[in-house]
Amino acid sequence: MSKPRAKMTNSFPGCPVETTLSFLDGKWKGVILFHLLTAGTLRFSELRRRLQAVTQRMLTKQLRELEEQGLVSRTVYPVVPPRVDYALTPLGQSLRPVIMVLEQWGSRHVECKNGVRRMIEPDSREDEASAA
């Protein structure tokens, strides 16, 4: 059986790509970070509305992992009903360039229409311009 990526990074501590990916590992972590980057501090219910396909349990799990990794801060307010806010820490904010490049690439190369995802081939002129 293969090891999870998080356990593999312990064997390859010198690999910065593997280590960085271990922080984003999980179906929803990158999307959560994107929404916190673009919207700022969000309540749990606001995140849930933005990620409609995620279950409450999975969102809680992914947020806890991001908090343990030091990327997200969680603030609980002692009110009824309970209010919990999530925001990026300075370390989480430092992922802005990484997340925004992923967003730009997806905007350029992925089209989502009517529930169908389609890859868009890069224009050869675009490739030549970016290589220059």
Side-chain angles (χ1 to χ4, degrees), residues 32-64:
I32 292 167
L33 292 170
F34 172 76
H35 285 293
L36 291 174
L37 277 168
T38 57
T41 301
L42 292 172
R43 290 182 178 185
F44 182 87
S45 58
E46 292 171 315
L47 276 168
R48 183 91 195 275
R49 274 193 293 275
R50 290 168 187 256
L51 289 83
Q52 293 182 3
V54 69
T55 64
Q56 182 171 338
R57 181 176 179 218
M58 179 56 72
L59 180 57
T60 299
K61 179 180 184 282
Q62 298 280 275
L63 285 165
R64 283 185 183 151

Side-chain angles (χ1 to χ4, degrees), residues 29-132:
K29 285 183 184 176
V31 181
I32 292 167
L33 292 170
F34 172 76
H35 285 293
L36 291 174
L37 277 168
T38 57
T41 301
L42 292 172
R43 290 182 178 185
F44 182 87
S45 58
E46 292 171 315
L47 276 168
R48 183 91 195 275
R49 274 193 293 275
R50 290 168 187 256
L51 289 83
Q52 293 182 3
V54 69
T55 64
Q56 182 171 338
R57 181 176 179 218
M58 179 56 72
L59 180 57
T60 299
K61 179 180 184 282
Q62 298 280 275
L63 285 165
R64 283 185 183 151
E65 288 177 15
L66 288 166
E67 187 180 5
E68 286 172 15
Q69 294 167 331
L71 300 175
V72 169
S73 65
R74 178 178 184 260
T75 306
V76 180
Y77 296 93
V79 294
V80 176
R83 176 180 157 198
V84 180
D85 286 350
Y86 292 91
L88 292 176
T89 63
L91 183 62
Q93 285 284 347
S94 71
L95 282 169
R96 177 179 291 278
V98 175
I99 301 297
M100 298 318 288
V101 165
L102 289 172
E103 188 272 336
Q104 291 167 6
W105 188 91
S107 294
R108 239 182 262 131
H109 300 291
V110 181
E111 180 180 72
C112 298
K113 283 188 181 174
N114 303 323
V116 177
R117 200 177 316 175
R118 180 177 78 87
M119 297 301 296
I120 302 168
E121 291 294 326
D123 183 8
S124 60
R125 290 173 296 186
E126 182 181 302
D127 290 343
E128 290 171 8
S130 63

